[in-house]
């Protein structure tokens, strides 16, 4: 094989983009001369984040099905078929030996086009409950890298490799002490700290839970680092200006140095997206998960339950969070024995070499393809 050439497709959210970029990084580390091309969806987050990470990306005009307004899906189907043709051209021009799909709108047409051209494909399924697109693509995929046990419910057992989910590598490189991390947020390093994250765009229910318990937060003797998300930041700033912001509450719309925030935290409150869970496992952080009810097949609840069943997380149902989430956090962070058990159990579920393992599987497929075609 003269030159390793890989297409990586997918995105839409950080949960798909971070693993994709991590896999690309692991490929580059092992094979510095490899050529990597990303294929994403026009107007989605990957079109900005992937170039920022140093990779070329091409965009498809593709979107997801509208489950509430079925008539609108005529346009969606048209865009899918047009995107598949466009993806076919991109693949022919780039000539990869393997295509990788990480989930998100673009992975469907791209991986389907690759399969039709005889290019080997690898799927990376982040969740404990497989999405519709990956279930369809799995029939012709060569390898399926998963993060949870029991995925033979959805995929052929012979194709499955348990690798875990790749995470943002910069989280592992943070060497700052807990004390300095807390001080960087203007907090007291001797005081217990809860980190609240709802994803890059925010989580309405989690934010409402904080706003409805400002007086409890003020009196709790616990500190809070709160990432509100850009979408809700102005509304929350207005509310805090009206009601008064407790001194022990650090508020930001988006935390760039997430490694420091995790380092400062004794307990994490988070949605139950696969990427967030993988980071929490890798860092061994006790956590309370609030699964989003607004995702396909309710997969976040299934992700959370996979941890709860191993006593590696606490779960609060979205509808109950405004009443019980913050009281639960204050109670849990004040219980050192509970924190220790949660931390030990969640750390056992970590897969620190996930990106490297997936990159190795990608390379094996590329070599087999090259040998078969005399490349």
């Amino acid at each position: 094989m003269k030159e390793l050439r890989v297409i990586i497709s997918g995105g839409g959210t950080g949960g798909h983009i971070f693993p994709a970029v991590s896999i690309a990084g692991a490929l580059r580390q092992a094979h510095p001369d490899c050529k990597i091309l990303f294929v994403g969806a026009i107007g989605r987050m990957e079109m900005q984040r992937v170039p920022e990470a140093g990779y070329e990306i091409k965009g498809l005009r593709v979107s997801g099905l509208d489950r509430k307004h079925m008539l609108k899906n005529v346009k969606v189907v048209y865009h899918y078929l047009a995107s598949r043709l466009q993806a076919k051209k991109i693949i022919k021009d780039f000539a990869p030996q393997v295509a990788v799909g990480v989930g998100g709108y673009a992975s469907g047409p791209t991986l389907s086009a690759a399969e039709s051209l005889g290019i080997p494909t690898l799927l990376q399924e982040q969740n404990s409950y497989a999405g519709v697109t990956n279930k369809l693509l799995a029939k012709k995929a060569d390898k399926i890298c998963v993060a949870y046990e029991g995925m033979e419910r959805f995929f052929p057992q012979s194709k499955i490799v348990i690798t875990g989910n790749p995470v943002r590598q910069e989280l592992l490189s943070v060497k700052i002490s807990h004390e300095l991390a807390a001080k960087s947020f203007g907090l007291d390093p001797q005081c217990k700290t809860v980190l609240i994250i709802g994803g890059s765009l925010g989580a309405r229910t989690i934010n409402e839970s904080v706003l409805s318990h400002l007086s409890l937060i003020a009196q709790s003797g616990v500190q809070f680092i709160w990432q509100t998300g850009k979408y809700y930041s102005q509304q929350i700033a207005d509310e805090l200006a009206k009601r008064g912001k407790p001194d022990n509450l650090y508020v930001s719309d988006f935390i760039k140095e997430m490694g420091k925030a995790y380092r400062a935290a004794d307990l994490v409150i988070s949605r139950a997206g696969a990427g967030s869970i993988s980071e929490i496992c890798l860092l061994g952080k006790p956590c309370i998960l609030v699964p989003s009810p607004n995702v396909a097949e309710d997969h976040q609840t299934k992700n959370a339950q996979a941890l709860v069943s191993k006593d590696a997380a606490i779960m609060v149902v979205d509808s109950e969070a405004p009443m019980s989430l913050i009281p639960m956090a204050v109670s849990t962070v004040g219980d050192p024995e509970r924190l220790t058990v949660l931390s030990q159990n969640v750390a056992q579920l970590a897969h620190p070499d996930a990106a490297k393992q997936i990159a190795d599987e990608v390379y094996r497929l590329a070599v087999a393809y090259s040998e078969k075609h005399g490349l």
Side-chain angles (χ1 to χ4, degrees), residues 113-142:
E115 289 172 350
S116 74
L117 293 168
I119 305 294
T121 60
L122 179 145
L123 303 180
Q124 201 259 322
E125 174 56 65
Q126 290 121 27
N127 293 296
S128 60
Y129 193 92
V132 174
T133 302
N134 273 355
K135 281 192 273 193
L136 291 171
L137 292 170
K139 291 169 185 171
K140 292 184 180 176
D142 294 86

Side-chain angles (χ1 to χ4, degrees), residues 60 78-92 109-110 112-113 116-117:
L60 305 178
Y78 170 76
H79 281 157
Y80 175 87
L81 295 172
S83 292
R84 195 172 179 279
L85 283 175
Q86 192 185 347
K88 222 168 188 177
K89 184 179 186 313
I90 290 168
I91 291 164
K92 284 179 179 176
T110 306
S112 175
S116 74
L117 293 168

Side-chain angles (χ1 to χ4, degrees), residues 329-344:
V330 171
S331 163
T332 304
V333 82
D335 184 344
E337 288 179 17
R338 186 77 183 115
L339 291 179
T340 299
V341 168
L342 288 169
S343 178
Q344 288 173 346

Side-chain angles (χ1 to χ4, degrees), residues 255-273:
I255 298 169
K256 274 191 176 174
E257 295 186 283
M258 192 53 81
K260 279 186 182 177
Y262 276 123
R263 196 81 183 85
D266 298 285
L267 176 71
V268 177
I269 291 173
S270 174
R271 283 301 199 193

Side-chain angles (χ1 to χ4, degrees), residues 4-248:
L4 175 61
R5 300 177 73 82
V6 181
I7 274 183
I8 301 177
S9 183
T13 66
H16 292 311
I17 298 164
F18 296 139
V21 170
S22 293
I23 293 166
L27 282 166
R28 270 197 179 165
Q29 195 167 3
H31 313 282
D33 297 327
C34 74
K35 297 287 185 288
I36 299 171
L37 176 66
F38 280 77
V39 179
I42 289 169
R44 304 293 287 183
M45 196 191 292
E46 61 266 26
M47 300 308 293
Q48 179 188 344
R49 293 291 172 86
V50 168
E52 283 175 357
Y55 299 95
E56 183 187 355
I57 186 167
K58 292 193 179 293
L60 305 178
R61 197 169 296 284
V62 62
S63 57
L65 288 171
D66 190 325
R67 292 163 197 256
K68 291 179 182 172
H69 309 97
M70 295 310 287
L71 283 175
K72 291 185 179 177
N73 289 323
V74 174
K75 189 192 267 188
V76 172
V77 171
Y78 170 76
H79 281 157
Y80 175 87
L81 295 172
S83 292
R84 195 172 179 279
L85 283 175
Q86 192 185 347
K88 222 168 188 177
K89 184 179 186 313
I90 290 168
I91 291 164
K92 284 179 179 176
D93 290 346
F94 186 70
Q97 297 104 345
V98 59
V100 178
V102 296
Y105 299 147
S107 65
T110 306
L111 273 281
S112 175
E115 289 172 350
S116 74
L117 293 168
I119 305 294
T121 60
L122 179 145
L123 303 180
Q124 201 259 322
E125 174 56 65
Q126 290 121 27
N127 293 296
S128 60
Y129 193 92
V132 174
T133 302
N134 273 355
K135 281 192 273 193
L136 291 171
L137 292 170
K139 291 169 185 171
K140 292 184 180 176
D142 294 86
K143 282 286 173 201
I144 305 163
C145 295
V146 302
Y148 293 90
E149 295 166 0
M151 296 303 284
E152 60 277 2
R153 291 174 295 156
F154 310 108
F155 306 129
Q157 174 100 48
S158 59
K159 297 180 180 183
I160 293 174
V161 186
I162 297 181
T163 58
N165 285 323
V167 301
R168 293 176 277 187
Q169 293 308 298
E170 64 265 27
L171 295 180
L172 303 176
S173 59
V174 174
K175 303 298 181 201
I176 192 170
S177 68
H178 166 77
E179 185 178 31
L180 286 176
K183 283 181 177 175
S184 73
F185 291 96
L187 301 175
D188 178 355
Q190 305 305 317
C191 194
K192 291 291 185 187
T193 302
V194 177
L195 170 63
I196 304 169
I197 44 177
S200 52
L201 296 177
R204 184 171 56 83
T205 305
I206 292 178
N207 289 341
E208 284 175 357
S209 305
V210 178
L211 288 173
S212 61
H213 286 92
L214 291 176
S215 58
L216 172 61
I217 287 170
Q219 297 159 19
S220 66
V222 176
Q223 300 170 137
F224 291 80
I225 299 172
W226 181 21
Q227 179 180 279
T228 63
K230 291 183 188 296
Y231 186 77
Y232 300 100
S233 60
Q234 190 54 56
Q235 175 194 343
I236 286 166
D238 293 344
E239 282 293 323
L240 290 174
K242 210 177 349 178
R243 302 194 209 179
K245 184 183 82 65
D247 293 338
N248 56 335

